[in-house]
Amino acid sequence: MPNNPDITPLTVAELFNQGHYFIPIYQRNYAWGEPEVRQLLQDILDESRRAKNSRHPASQYYIGSLVVDKRGEGQFETIDGQQRHTTLCVVLSALKNEFADSINQQSCLNVKATEDTPFQKLSSLSLNLSFTNRKRSTSTLALLAQGITTGCEQASMHGAYDVAVRFFEEHKQELCTLTDYLLNNVVILRVAVPKGTDLNHYFEIMNNRGEQLEKHEVLKARLMRPLGIDERKVFSTIWDACASMDRYAQLGFEKSLRCTLFGANWDQHPVDFESIRQEMVNSDSPAPLVSLEEIVQHPVLQDKKENPVNDDSEQYASIISFPNFLLHVLRITHVSHIDTDVPLDDKRLLLAFERFSNRTDEDIATFSREFVMNLLRCRLLFDRYIIKRKNDLDWSLEQLKPNETRHHYVSSGGDFNQQLIMQLSMFHVSFPTQVYKHWLSAVLYYLLKQHQLGEFRISQYPAFLDQLSNKFFYGRFGKQPIEYFDICFEDVMPENDFDHHNLKLGTHIQNFIFNRLDYRLWRKLKDGHEFDVDMDFVKSFLDKFRFTFRTSVEHYFPQHPIAGEPMDESILHSFGNLCLISHSDNSKFSNNDPATKKNQVKDKLNREQLAESLKLVFMMSYEHWDPENQPAMIQHEKMMVDVLCS
């Protein structure tokens, strides 16, 4: 590191032991969600594991910069980096408040006798971040620092706290090592701007600075290098068509090639790389030679607004990024040729491909042709059989079809379309972070195999997704957990032996469990199943139910009721009294009684036409939900567990 007094590398422990930081009003609100928080924590966990397994001393792991304006001795105004700094503050609060005992009990063999333990260092840290003229943000951060999660008005911070708690619960056996690495080896660079800098102008520049070449662009160049000129054009065309994740892949090809490559209905897969090369070469026949005089006398005017490739008026939001999609394709097309799994971490994209791109030119060329064809096949399957976001509330499962004028969209699943959307969105919202979307690898692998064998039937797709749900449920939450790789790619079916301890974790119960239950409730209701509840009330919510990104586990009967008697804790924290809702709803619910919450949900249904949780709807169907009616609550839990495990 250059000897520059304006650039100071700080470990996380040093960051929270030195100085105070103010977030100015011109900065946006804290906005990180579950994907960003989980990704940061996963990166730090991965680095701590590498350090633990290495023979060399643990290296420093840089997580970016914190650009500040020094206002006085130990006083800094943050210009850039507040999202990461705030997240670290919330994460450390979660560790101190929820897991201090676990960290203290675990042995820390890598800590010298003369050093403070991670528990001691964690305990000594103090909150050193506040927001100028944002009382809600400052108040929420202060409450979370004390472990108080009720009354937090800043929903994003509260959400980050919950995400951190669930993440640490999942990796509870590694908390001592993780905390030690986080405090001592994770480093942020504090960069002080020169005195007299126009901060508003500097902030504007920081937020409009250019982007460096992305990893997938570097990878594309590496894989194209040993190919011939014609082959490079084929590779680049396929790659670019697949890279536009919010547009159907066929639209990335010239209009004249679409029916030739994909069939009259645009639903076929090209045979191989060479056949595409031949078609593209033939379509590029040279134009007749024309003299300059003829061009001037008979100009051919072209409408500059017309783009023969990007002619898609519909916009669909993909559930993953292109770099992440590349890793799924690498994973499923080389599953039988790799000795270790491919992590779905796009920051390691180049490293994941290194074993295939660090060979002779001939080997790289062979791999490039094979991979780009698998990329196209998987992308066509992804477009047709994996959900997309069509608007803020709806999921889409549609395929692209040509017509006489342009193109149109029809449902991919026919009579099964609604069921497939529910199944796929259930998986998607249960694992919002891209690095955990193992289910998508399993689905693409199944679709690719079935199409290659010519055995795919849309009527069999829902049954496969139900089976995959069972494999995730019993494979990950059974008494003998199975690795994700084996669940996705090996022909294993775990025993139906659910470990009910997973339902006794209170607000740390995993999202997938709640979402699986909601899907199974939805399916049974659609099939006409009757439950021993107010069925008219339940059915009034059924058609408005959608899977959304819900990350807050809420007590229906509150932990600290505003009025009335408290609930016996064994019932209060039981699965029967819990449901999964959004953080905005959690903030509104607060410590309200069930009757008030019921009216709030009804109001939301009238305003937004959206029901978030069928389990919550079932709880609301009971006339009374209070300490005097505990038998009904116990009966509800038994009913829900039967549906969950049936």
Side-chain angles (χ1 to χ4, degrees):
M1 179 64 60
N3 186 18
N4 187 333
D6 294 329
I7 301 178
T8 308
L10 298 170
T11 66
V12 169
E14 291 170 339
L15 174 65
F16 285 92
N17 271 321
Q18 299 178 15
H20 192 91
Y21 298 81
F22 302 90
I23 308 299
I25 191 63
Y26 60 78
Q27 295 266 18
R28 62 174 177 156
N29 283 320
Y30 179 71
W32 272 22
E34 179 159 0
E36 294 86 358
V37 176
R38 268 194 172 270
Q39 189 66 66
L40 177 66
L41 294 176
Q42 186 65 47
D43 291 344
I44 295 171
L45 176 63
D46 291 343
E47 292 299 326
S48 71
R49 285 170 173 169
R50 280 199 200 92
K52 183 179 179 181
N53 297 327
S54 174
R55 297 179 180 178
H56 305 289
S59 59
Q60 292 181 324
Y61 177 57
Y62 290 88
I63 59 169
S65 59
L66 185 63
V67 182
V68 300
D69 179 41
K70 190 171 182 180
R71 289 303 179 93
E73 189 60 35
Q75 302 291 308
F76 303 93
E77 179 177 315
T78 300
I79 303 171
D80 190 52
Q82 69 120 335
Q83 300 288 328
R84 192 175 291 106
H85 190 177
T86 305
T87 301
L88 288 173
C89 192
V90 172
V91 163
L92 291 172
S93 295
L95 277 173
K96 287 175 68 174
N97 299 324
E98 312 293 340
F99 299 97
D101 290 343
S102 297
I103 296 170
N104 194 29
Q105 290 169 8
Q106 291 178 17
S107 60
C108 300
L109 300 179
N110 56 332
V111 179
K112 297 177 182 178
T114 56
E115 295 179 347
D116 288 342
T117 66
F119 170 77
Q120 292 168 324
K121 282 192 175 182
L122 187 64
S123 301
S124 68
L125 299 183
S126 59
L127 175 68
N128 67 345
L129 182 64
S130 58
F131 294 77
T132 304
N133 295 326
R134 284 204 182 119
K135 292 182 179 179
R136 290 172 56 187
S137 296
T138 299
S139 171
T140 297
L141 209 56
L143 287 172
L144 294 176
Q146 300 172 60
I148 302 172
T149 56
T150 56
C152 294
E153 297 184 84
Q154 223 290 357
S156 296
M157 289 183 192
H158 187 185
Y161 188 92
D162 287 348
V163 170
V165 169
R166 288 200 306 277
F167 183 89
F168 294 138
E169 187 68 40
E170 293 167 17
H171 305 285
K172 204 167 184 177
Q173 301 306 314
E174 302 176 82
L175 280 187
C176 186
T177 302
L178 172 60
T179 305
D180 183 42
Y181 189 86
L182 169 63
L183 295 176
N184 299 316
N185 295 88
V186 174
V187 173
I188 193 166
L189 292 180
R190 187 178 67 201
V191 181
V193 299
K195 289 185 177 180
T197 300
D198 183 338
L199 297 185
N200 288 325
H201 180 61
Y202 188 91
F203 182 72
E204 183 179 348
I205 293 173
M206 291 291 292
N207 283 277
N208 291 284
R209 57 190 182 269
E211 297 290 336
Q212 64 180 5
L213 200 63
E214 295 190 47
K215 290 182 175 64
H216 67 85
E217 295 169 321
V218 175
L219 177 63
K220 176 186 176 184
R222 287 182 183 178
L223 297 180
M224 283 177 58
R225 182 180 54 78
L227 299 177
I229 295 176
D230 290 345
E231 291 181 322
R232 288 184 182 184
K233 181 175 182 180
V234 175
F235 186 100
S236 181
T237 300
I238 295 174
W239 187 280
D240 292 345
C242 294
S244 300
M245 295 298 292
D246 293 343
R247 186 187 65 189
Y248 283 69
Q250 293 95 328
L251 300 175
F253 292 81
E254 294 289 338
K255 290 181 178 180
S256 59
L257 285 172
R258 292 172 189 170
C259 288
T260 305
L261 295 178
F262 306 109
N265 289 319
W266 294 1
D267 58 359
Q268 297 177 18
H269 294 190
V271 178
D272 53 31
F273 187 89
E274 179 59 23
S275 65
I276 299 179
R277 191 190 71 81
Q278 289 287 351
E279 293 294 343
M280 291 185 67
V281 168
N282 293 336
S283 70
D284 284 344
S285 53
L289 296 175
V290 183
S291 68
L292 180 60
E293 182 180 2
E294 290 174 308
I295 293 175
V296 173
Q297 292 180 355
H298 306 285
V300 178
L301 301 180
Q302 183 176 352
D303 185 357
K304 291 184 179 180
K305 294 182 180 180
E306 180 181 353
N307 186 334
V309 175
N310 187 16
D311 59 356
D312 185 15
S313 61
E314 298 286 345
Q315 286 297 314
Y316 296 86
S318 172
I319 63 172
I320 59 169
S321 67
F322 180 58
N324 190 253
F325 185 70
L326 289 170
L327 291 168
H328 282 284
V329 176
L330 179 65
R331 195 186 204 191
I332 68 178
T333 55
H334 292 277
V335 65
S336 60
H337 306 298
I338 56 178
D339 51 1
T340 57
D341 193 10
V342 176
L344 299 174
D345 182 357
D346 54 31
K347 287 191 298 305
R348 298 186 206 163
L349 181 67
L350 297 177
L351 183 62
F353 278 83
E354 195 170 77
R355 73 186 79 177
F356 303 104
S357 59
N358 192 23
R359 301 178 176 180
T360 66
D361 282 357
E362 184 178 351
D363 288 339
I364 297 174
T366 300
F367 169 77
S368 297
R369 298 184 198 101
E370 177 190 7
F371 178 78
V372 84
M373 284 305 299
N374 281 306
L375 177 65
L376 179 58
R377 295 185 187 106
C378 288
R379 181 57 204 276
L380 294 171
L381 294 170
F382 178 88
D383 284 348
R384 187 169 182 176
Y385 299 116
I386 304 296
I387 55 168
K388 293 178 174 61
R389 246 321 183 199
K390 194 169 185 179
N391 55 51
D392 290 340
L393 294 178
D394 291 328
W395 302 103
S396 166
L397 187 64
E398 297 178 333
Q399 59 181 306
L400 185 66
K401 291 282 187 182
N403 57 25
E404 293 180 0
T405 57
R406 203 155 171 268
H407 54 262
H408 64 290
Y409 303 86
V410 298
S411 69
S412 300
D415 294 339
F416 302 96
N417 217 60
Q418 187 184 23
Q419 181 180 352
L420 289 169
I421 287 175
M422 283 294 185
Q423 290 173 298
L424 292 165
S425 58
M426 180 273 290
F427 274 114
H428 175 47
V429 302
S430 297
F431 305 99
T433 309
Q434 293 191 116
V435 74
Y436 287 113
K437 290 197 183 298
H438 301 285
W439 68 269
L440 182 56
S441 288
V443 174
L444 287 173
Y445 186 58
Y446 162 79
L447 293 171
L448 185 63
K449 285 199 306 181
Q450 293 296 305
H451 275 78
Q452 288 175 336
L453 296 171
E455 297 178 356
F456 180 77
R457 301 290 183 272
I458 194 66
S459 60
Q460 298 172 353
Y461 193 18
F464 164 77
L465 292 174
D466 275 341
Q467 183 185 62
L468 186 63
S469 173
N470 288 337
K471 291 174 83 172
F472 268 68
F473 182 65
Y474 292 110
R476 296 302 298 176
F477 301 104
K479 294 184 178 177
Q480 293 184 332
I482 301 174
E483 292 295 327
Y484 279 120
F485 184 87
D486 295 330
I487 291 174
C488 295
F489 301 114
E490 299 295 333
D491 188 19
V492 297
M493 179 52 69
E495 296 289 332
N496 292 1
D497 192 11
F498 177 64
D499 185 353
H500 286 260
H501 174 72
N502 291 291
L503 299 181
K504 298 177 181 178
L505 301 176
T507 55
H508 299 159
I509 296 173
Q510 294 297 298
N511 291 4
F512 175 72
I513 292 176
F514 285 105
N515 285 323
R516 171 184 162 91
L517 173 59
D518 274 347
Y519 168 74
R520 295 180 76 82
L521 288 171
W522 176 85
R523 186 67 201 155
K524 283 183 174 292
L525 291 170
K526 281 292 185 180
D527 288 343
H529 187 91
E530 296 286 326
F531 292 91
D532 187 19
V533 294
D534 184 348
M535 289 301 297
D536 290 336
F537 178 85
V538 169
K539 288 178 180 178
S540 68
F541 287 83
L542 183 59
D543 291 338
K544 301 298 187 294
F545 173 67
R546 301 285 188 279
F547 279 109
T548 59
F549 288 102
R550 305 168 294 163
T551 57
S552 183
V553 179
E554 164 70 3
H555 294 80
Y556 186 43
F557 187 90
Q559 297 185 72
H560 309 288
I562 296 174
E565 295 296 319
M567 180 77 70
D568 180 90
E569 292 220 347
S570 63
I571 303 295
L572 176 69
H573 300 302
S574 69
F575 182 65
N577 190 44
L578 297 170
C579 62
L580 187 66
I581 60 176
S582 66
H583 278 291
S584 59
D585 278 352
N586 193 6
S587 298
K588 295 172 187 173
F589 280 2
S590 187
N591 288 318
N592 291 331
D593 61 85
T596 303
K597 292 178 180 179
K598 185 173 181 177
N599 289 329
Q600 289 174 320
V601 172
K602 286 181 177 179
D603 289 342
K604 178 171 183 175
L605 185 66
N606 292 331
R607 285 183 287 102
E608 302 179 14
Q609 295 293 297
L610 176 67
E612 283 191 353
S613 168
L614 287 180
K615 185 181 187 300
L616 175 59
V617 170
F618 269 75
M619 289 191 284
M620 292 191 306
S621 71
Y622 290 85
E623 186 175 356
H624 300 288
W625 193 276
D626 52 47
E628 296 180 3
N629 292 274
Q630 293 187 19
M633 302 168 72
I634 295 171
Q635 184 266 340
H636 164 79
E637 175 165 335
K638 183 180 184 305
M639 182 195 307
M640 294 297 101
V641 173
D642 287 345
V643 173
L644 181 67
C645 300
S646 61

